[in-house]
């Protein structure tokens, strides 16, 4: 594949759309996870008293359900990514790959 073909692929609207949607989804989900995790770490660092306080008047503290919710959130975000990737991104990827293959199979036409 020569540089002209690579440039045509990179300038292809479907390829650009696929890359931008994948990037937006990845960065959004990463941002959500980082925000929640860093928030929890800041809570651990600066408000230990809250995390050590009782959740229900018993022995369960606020730290336990908050920590577990972060773990559950990571699974939920993985599920969201998988769902969006399968329903929206895969058809875009297939369309883009068809055009990329067409461009790659064109030899010496320019």
């Amino acid at each position: 594949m020569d540089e002209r073909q690579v440039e045509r692929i990179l300038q292809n609207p479907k390829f650009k759309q696929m890359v931008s949607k994948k990037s937006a989804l990845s960065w959004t989900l990463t941002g959500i996870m980082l925000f929640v995790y860093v928030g929890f770490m800041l809570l651990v660092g600066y408000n230990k008293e809250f995390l050590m306080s009782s959740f229900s008047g018993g022995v369960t503290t606020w730290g336990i359900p908050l920590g577990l919710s972060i773990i559950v959130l990571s699974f939920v975000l993985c599920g969201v990514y998988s769902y969006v990737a399968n329903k929206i991104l895969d058809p875009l990827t297939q369309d883009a790959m068809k055009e990329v293959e067409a461009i790659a199979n064109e030899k010496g036409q320019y």
Side-chain angles (χ1 to χ4, degrees):
M1 189 176 308
D2 63 11
E3 289 181 35
R4 194 175 331 199
Q5 288 174 324
V6 171
E7 187 60 34
R8 284 187 60 207
I9 291 168
L10 293 176
Q11 296 305 319
N12 184 288
K14 287 187 180 178
F15 183 79
K16 283 183 173 182
Q17 181 184 20
M18 177 202 57
V19 169
S20 70
K21 285 194 182 236
K22 279 186 178 186
S23 180
L25 177 65
S26 297
W27 282 112
T28 301
L29 297 179
T30 299
I32 291 169
M33 194 66 217
L34 282 175
F35 177 78
V36 170
Y37 185 74
V38 169
F40 183 71
M41 290 296 106
L42 289 172
L43 195 60
V44 167
Y46 292 108
N47 200 354
K48 291 179 188 171
E49 295 79 25
F50 170 72
L51 291 175
M52 291 188 302
S53 65
S54 178
F55 175 74
S56 60
V59 295
T60 304
T61 64
W62 277 102
I64 293 172
L66 288 175
L68 289 174
S69 66
I70 290 173
I71 294 169
V72 170
L73 177 66
S74 67
F75 283 101
V76 169
L77 293 179
C78 286
V80 167
Y81 182 84
S82 296
Y83 178 80
V84 172
N86 289 336
K87 298 294 180 188
I88 297 170
L89 299 178
D90 278 354
L92 277 175
T93 301
Q94 290 172 353
D95 289 345
M97 287 306 297
K98 285 178 188 174
E99 292 193 18
V100 165
E101 288 173 2
I103 291 169
N105 289 333
E106 294 174 8
K107 297 204 188 292
Q109 292 187 358
Y110 290 96

